[in-house]
Structures are given as C-alpha cells and as structure tokens.
Amino acid sequence: MEKFTVIESLAVPLDRANVDTDQIIPKQFLRSISRTGFGDFLFDEWRYQDHGELGMDCTNRPRNKEFILNQAQYQGAHLLLARENFGCGSSREHAVWALLEYGFRAIIAPSFGDIFANNAVKNGLLPLVLPSAVIEQLFEQSSAQSTLGHLRVDLAAQTVSTAAGDSWRFDILEETKQRLLLGLDDIAATLQHTDEIRAYENQRRESEPWLFDSKSL
C-alpha cells in the first residue's frame, strides 16, 4: 500500500455525526471484493439523486448539488473532516476502499468506529483523532474562500497544522505509525519477519520431522 508521510490539502468538512459504513458505501456495492471500482460510489445515496448499482457509469448521473463532495472547490481534496463516531455500523472493508479510491488519505474526527479504524490503517488510510473542540475550530475554518481550510498532516511528527499557524499533536500507536510510514499491509508486515519464520519452520522440521514426512501420512 502507499506510504503515508505528509499530506497537505484542503479538508472537506462533512458536518455529520455517526456516519455509518452503509452511508459510506451502500450495501448493493458489496458484491465485489476487487478493492477497486468503489470511488465513484462513495456516499452514493448522498451524492446522487438516483439509485446506484455496481459497475454503472456515473458520468451523467443526477447529482445532489448541496452535498459537499459535489461542490467544485473541494475536488481533489485528500483530507476529510468529520464528526464523532465516523465509520460506525457494520464491518465492511469496502468503506475504506471507497474513501481511498476517491482520493482521501486521512479522516479527521473526534472518534471512529473501532472496526472501521482497524480496517483503515490496514489499507493505508489514517483515522486521525483530535478533541471535539479542535474539530469544531477546524469546521469553522474550513472554507473554500480561505486558506485556513488547508491542513498539513505530518504523520512522523504526529501533528495537524493550519495555514494560520495553529498546530495540534495527535496520538497513534507506534506500530501503526510505522506501518503507515513504511506502507506495510498485513502481508508486507509479516514478510519483514521472513528469516524468523524460516528459522522456526526449520526448527520444527528437526524436532518433529514426522509432521513434514508425507510417507508417514
């Protein structure tokens, strides 16, 4: 997965609490497990005025002009600002895939659904927690007409800063931080221990050879 270092971007202010995974990517899109093809359907029921189905061309679908992602000034943003309990609801990794494919690299909120947060870091999406008071300040500053809406997320330094000079430190587990910085998914993280795994397998072959002898089966 892609390494996460520093992201500088306008933050899209999604002013809704308790956004669940069915709202992030509705259930009809779960038939595919290819990890791609979901970006166009992110927040489908909020972005469009018709019913979406997997594989359909979204180019000419009628859009809800009031929804934040459909506003021109927020196109190309890599940061999403949200309220508490983002990603609650059912467990579906598709929600993270949709957010990433759309272009988001970090979600900034006061709290997250536990399963969503776990799925996020495994796919290279940073669930960044800041206090509610700070989130409120960031919502107030998020404006297309103001550079205050642009944020800088520095994972190595564990800071979020604004163009106005405000800065806040966020907490993250060291193991999670390193995996994101290095771009390691579960398989890549496991392969870092290839020598230890191979040594263990060789030890097992020596101490319990019958487990590996096909003739004894």
Side-chain angles (χ1 to χ4, degrees), residues 66-86:
E66 300 300 317
F67 185 57
I68 195 75
L69 290 191
N70 290 333
Q71 297 177 19
Q73 61 265 34
Y74 294 110
Q75 301 307 301
H78 300 300
L79 301 174
L80 181 65
L81 188 62
R83 297 292 186 180
E84 64 271 8
N85 205 25
F86 185 89

Side-chain angles (χ1 to χ4, degrees), residues 169-210:
R169 182 176 173 82
F170 61 90
D171 293 326
I172 186 171
L173 293 175
E174 185 62 25
E175 179 183 359
T176 300
K177 174 181 173 180
Q178 292 304 317
R179 286 183 58 163
L180 288 170
L181 287 172
L182 296 173
L184 301 176
D185 59 16
D186 283 346
I187 294 176
T190 300
L191 290 176
Q192 285 198 310
H193 303 282
T194 298
D195 291 342
E196 294 96 318
I197 294 170
R198 186 175 291 113
Y200 173 76
E201 289 295 329
N202 290 337
Q203 184 272 327
R204 287 290 303 279
R205 285 180 182 276
E206 293 178 1
S207 63
E208 301 170 295
W210 58 88

Side-chain angles (χ1 to χ4, degrees), residues 37-51:
F38 302 105
D40 285 342
F41 306 108
L42 176 67
F43 300 122
D44 193 82
E45 294 179 357
W46 294 341
R47 285 171 73 187
Y48 304 102
Q49 296 177 322
D50 62 351
H51 177 76

Side-chain angles (χ1 to χ4, degrees), residues 108-155:
I108 305 172
S111 59
F112 293 90
D114 289 340
I115 297 175
F116 172 85
N118 188 50
N119 285 337
V121 297
K122 287 185 176 183
N123 285 275
L125 179 68
L126 174 62
L128 195 161
V129 176
L130 290 176
S132 296
V134 174
I135 295 294
E136 186 63 41
Q137 180 178 338
L138 293 178
F139 266 104
E140 292 175 359
Q141 294 179 346
S142 293
S143 168
Q145 289 74 39
S146 172
T147 58
L148 294 177
H150 284 79
L151 302 178
R152 186 177 193 272
V153 176
D154 187 331
L155 178 57

Side-chain angles (χ1 to χ4, degrees), residues 50-65:
D50 62 351
H51 177 76
E53 288 291 344
L54 189 66
M56 71 187 301
D57 185 354
C58 296
T59 305
N60 297 314
R61 291 178 66 190
R63 296 174 183 256
N64 174 10
K65 295 180 180 180

